[in-house]
Amino acid sequence: MRSFFISLQSEFYKSRKTLAFWAAIIVPVVICGLIAFGYYTSSEKILKYNYPGMMLWFQYSSAALGVMGMLILPFYVMFMAFSVNNIEHKNDTWKTLFSQPLNKFSIYSAKYFYALMLLFICTILFPLLTYVSGYLLQTLVPKYTFKDYDPAIILTRFYGKLFLASLGILSIQFVLSLIWSDFLKPMGIGFIGVIAGIITANVGWKHAYLIPYSAPTLALRAASGTKNARPEDLPIFTQEIGVSLACAAVLFVAGYFILSKRNIK
Amino acid sequence: MSRFAIETVGLNHHFGPQAVVKNLSLQVPRGSIYGFLGPNGAGKTTTIKILLNLLQSPADTVFIFGQELNHNRIACLEKMGSLVEQPAIYAHLSGKENLINRCILLGINKSKADEMLALVGLTEAATKKTGKYSLGMKQRLGIALALIADPELLLLDEPTNGLDPNGIIEIRNLMVELTSKHGKTILVSSHLLAEIERTATHVGIINKGEMLFQGTINELQDLSKPSIKIEVDDQAAAANILSSNGAEIINEKEGNIHITYTGKADMGKLNTLLVQNGVTVYSISTDRKDLENLFLDITSKN
């Protein structure tokens, strides 16, 4: 366990100045900032719709959720999984890392957990910033109805589900980036995966849930498709989440197996 | 307790169908500076990577301080510090940050980073990004990284690569100090014998994955028998006189004759003999094949 924590601490230390780390913070700040800015400058136009509190929150958070689930999250996951491994490929440091008196599984799992942590930071910042900026907008534009509804539960559920839905993609991309040092292979496969995921999810293919790349789109789809149910009742552990988690677990183990049997060149 | 810091028993390693290490029995005595020599591509780096468990090796073939490597990986690695090929450092971090990162991984005090920077003369470049370091500076940092945990055994793969003459001398002195004052064992690989013959106590010569010679530096020198080189005006006459007086001629060309060295007295007698028989002797001296040529001879045989 000590090996795991010091490996994790080292992961943080060495990547704290990299884009992969800062992107986890910058992406949510920029996107939520832009949306909030839009809602502030176009407040008169939005106020004309007379949205009740819940609907206004729904519209407001959907702006980030839609773009996030469809594109930004999968691409961020791909980029981040690549960067976490590329830091070793680029500097030829796998050999140093594995010649330290540390358990190989600890080194590997700390790297994986670090990627997981970055994804978590990114997905937690979105609801947090949406929540905070909503109330900030309420203060700046008192006519808004944000104060009439507490979005904490739906935001947590939506983004929580999105986080779980992206674990499958994270594991696939993590293993691909572990195997290949070049940018094109994992990114190319990931890109095709994301496109295939979006298409199969949007055309409503009945087996789309089996493709981990379609999980974020499907997760949000299920959310927007439940018109009669209350958004607070959004089911979290749906089929695609099950596939995403299973895929994450299998590939996490497979990644370690690949790494432990591999000769470090 | 094993008297060897490193011992391999019939070690083999293949890259696909190509055998890169063949039946290698490396024996590095404790407290020695072991010069691991061989031309480029001889299998030196592969062997070092096997010793670090970076490349898989069969069970019971590699022992570090008597402990089997595969079953005691962490215990073995705790005793080793290494510099393999080009130093592996994070280019986006400064020299000091690279050392601090290593301190984190090894669970040692971060103040050790400054100490190491001073030791390898990088204090002034401590905060500079290592991506902007020269090859020599990177090599120094690599050595600092290998030394930071104060390991009992150091594996240095061509550590003087890219260093200027001063840097090379410093590393040599550091190696001698580490073994003589601190009782460390050092395995240092090189493709140049001249580079390590002054510091190494033991030598292993490897080529095409096979160990061709292993022993002390003196044993290696004993392989090189001295000869007498005589420069004369009449080569044919001199050769005739020498051979009829029992001297063993090794070769003769361009007015120079090489004969086997048998002693100082014999050298004097042969000189007198030649002069008395009307041959002008321009010069007469002992000639020892230097270790570099010996190394080339050994490695060109297989």
Side-chain angles (χ1 to χ4, degrees):
Chain A
M1 213 52 191
R2 185 183 155 273
S3 286
F4 173 78
F5 282 115
I6 57 177
S7 298
L8 189 63
Q9 198 189 343
S10 161
E11 284 301 324
F12 172 74
Y13 185 80
K14 67 192 175 197
S15 62
R16 74 198 193 290
K17 288 182 180 174
T18 61
L19 190 62
F21 175 74
W22 283 104
I25 296 163
I26 294 168
V27 168
V29 169
V30 169
I31 293 179
C32 292
L34 282 174
I35 296 168
F37 183 72
Y39 266 66
Y40 176 67
T41 50
S42 318
S43 57
E44 282 179 22
K45 219 164 98 186
I46 295 160
L47 284 169
K48 277 182 197 160
Y49 292 104
N50 276 326
Y51 288 130
M54 190 176 107
M55 202 55 201
L56 183 63
W57 272 112
F58 188 75
Q59 288 293 333
Y60 183 61
S61 56
S62 294
L65 259 173
V67 68
M68 168 82 174
M70 277 281 205
L71 285 172
I72 294 177
L73 192 64
F75 280 106
Y76 171 66
V77 167
M78 279 158 58
F79 167 72
M80 185 259 293
F82 168 78
S83 301
V84 167
N85 287 297
N86 187 248
I87 196 169
E88 312 298 345
H89 288 306
K90 189 174 70 184
N91 297 304
D92 197 14
T93 39
W94 284 115
K95 61 185 182 197
T96 330
L97 208 53
F98 284 102
S99 57
Q100 299 312 311
L102 296 168
N103 184 297
K104 282 186 183 179
F105 182 70
S106 301
I107 299 172
Y108 166 76
S109 52
K111 220 171 222 327
Y112 183 88
F113 189 77
Y114 182 68
L116 205 69
M117 230 168 67
L118 288 180
L119 177 64
F120 184 73
I121 292 172
C122 185
T123 38
I124 205 164
L125 275 177
F126 267 102
L128 212 68
L129 291 169
T130 307
Y131 190 85
V132 172
S133 62
Y135 280 104
L136 185 71
L137 279 168
Q138 180 67 60
T139 320
L140 295 171
V141 186
K143 282 183 184 167
Y144 270 144
T145 51
F146 284 116
K147 62 179 184 307
D148 300 344
Y149 182 78
D150 183 1
I153 294 171
I154 57 161
L155 283 176
T156 315
R157 284 196 155 246
F158 276 31
Y159 280 100
K161 191 172 183 182
L162 209 52
F163 173 73
L164 296 176
S166 33
L167 293 184
I169 306 178
L170 177 70
S171 293
I172 296 172
Q173 291 300 131
F174 190 85
V175 171
L176 293 179
S177 303
L178 194 72
I179 300 171
W180 289 310
S181 57
D182 67 329
F183 182 75
L184 285 176
K185 284 181 195 140
M187 288 310 223
I189 294 173
F191 191 78
I192 294 168
V194 170
I195 302 293
I198 292 173
I199 294 172
T200 50
N202 281 335
V203 298
W205 186 44
K206 62 177 178 175
H207 297 303
Y209 71 92
L210 291 172
I211 305 172
Y213 290 93
S214 66
T217 316
L218 283 174
L220 292 179
R221 212 159 209 282
S224 53
T226 50
K227 274 182 187 167
N228 298 327
R230 295 185 318 142
E232 290 94 330
D233 299 333
L234 170 81
I236 290 185
F237 292 100
T238 46
Q239 272 181 322
E240 69 276 7
I241 300 296
V243 170
S244 172
L245 291 178
C247 177
V250 169
L251 281 160
F252 173 71
V253 176
Y256 173 64
F257 188 73
I258 292 167
L259 197 69
S260 64
K261 294 290 163 203
R262 191 170 70 168
N263 284 327
I264 311 289
K265 296 280 166 64
Chain B
M1 195 167 74
S2 170
R3 69 188 183 91
F4 296 115
I6 303 172
E7 187 175 16
T8 68
V9 184
L11 180 67
N12 289 294
H13 193 80
H14 297 259
F15 284 145
Q18 190 198 356
V20 276
V21 174
K22 297 173 202 163
N23 200 23
L24 190 76
S25 293
L26 193 68
Q27 292 183 325
V28 180
R30 286 170 186 254
S32 66
I33 300 182
Y34 187 100
F36 192 37
L37 291 164
N40 289 332
K44 301 186 296 289
T45 302
T46 304
T47 306
I48 290 177
K49 284 187 175 177
I50 291 171
L51 298 177
L52 289 167
N53 199 234
L54 292 172
L55 300 178
Q56 308 284 322
S57 60
D60 295 324
T61 52
V62 181
F63 299 87
I64 305 294
F65 292 105
Q67 285 185 299
E68 202 279 329
L69 178 65
N70 286 330
H71 293 107
N72 304 284
R73 181 181 163 270
I74 294 179
C76 289
L77 290 176
E78 271 171 358
K79 298 188 179 99
M80 287 194 267
S82 62
L83 167 65
V84 187
E85 293 173 312
Q86 299 85 11
I89 43 188
Y90 298 102
H92 66 285
L93 299 180
S94 70
K96 188 173 176 176
E97 287 170 331
N98 266 285
L99 286 162
I100 289 177
N101 181 51
R102 185 63 62 84
C103 290
I104 294 172
L105 281 175
L106 295 168
I108 51 179
N109 198 316
K110 288 173 190 168
S111 63
K112 198 88 170 121
D114 288 321
E115 207 180 298
M116 285 296 124
L117 285 165
L119 181 76
V120 296
L122 284 175
T123 307
E124 281 177 23
T127 53
K128 190 175 169 180
K129 278 192 179 181
T130 55
K132 290 177 182 159
Y133 274 20
S134 68
L135 182 59
M137 289 163 88
K138 285 181 185 168
Q139 204 72 9
R140 283 161 192 270
L141 183 62
I143 291 167
L145 285 164
L147 285 171
I148 200 163
D150 199 20
E152 285 176 61
L153 170 64
L154 269 174
L155 306 182
L156 304 176
D157 190 13
E158 310 206 356
T160 51
N161 211 357
L163 293 185
D164 55 23
N166 272 338
I168 293 174
I169 292 166
E170 279 169 26
I171 298 301
R172 261 188 214 150
N173 294 342
L174 184 65
M175 287 199 292
V176 173
E177 195 185 314
L178 285 169
T179 48
S180 59
K181 288 190 187 163
H182 304 282
K184 312 282 181 200
T185 307
I186 302 176
L187 178 134
V188 53
S189 85
S190 178
H191 58 274
L192 298 170
L193 178 61
E195 203 174 80
I196 54 164
E197 67 177 291
R198 287 181 209 166
T199 44
T201 55
H202 293 72
V203 178
I205 299 178
I206 183 178
N207 194 22
K208 295 178 187 164
E210 284 180 79
M211 187 69 94
L212 304 179
F213 171 85
Q214 182 166 240
T216 63
I217 196 96
N218 292 333
E219 283 167 348
L220 179 67
Q221 269 159 350
D222 287 346
L223 285 181
S224 154
K225 288 186 188 131
S227 62
I228 302 170
K229 181 185 169 191
I230 311 170
E231 194 182 359
V232 290
D233 61 341
D234 186 345
Q235 184 185 313
N240 202 13
I241 296 160
L242 289 168
S243 57
S244 59
N245 281 279
E248 192 186 329
I249 295 177
I250 302 167
N251 64 47
E252 46 180 304
K253 58 183 175 188
E254 296 163 10
N256 288 316
I257 300 173
H258 282 90
I259 59 171
T260 309
Y261 177 82
T262 46
K264 269 186 183 176
D266 288 343
M267 226 167 123
K269 276 181 200 163
L270 290 172
N271 186 21
T272 314
L273 191 68
L274 288 170
V275 174
Q276 281 173 350
N277 284 284
V279 177
T280 305
V281 178
Y282 298 134
S283 69
I284 182 163
S285 59
T286 51
D287 190 19
R288 184 186 274 268
K289 187 186 274 184
D290 64 18
L291 288 180
E292 202 61 48
N293 282 323
L294 187 68
F295 171 56
L296 289 174
D297 269 5
I298 293 172
T299 51
S300 62
K301 274 176 194 158
N302 79 325

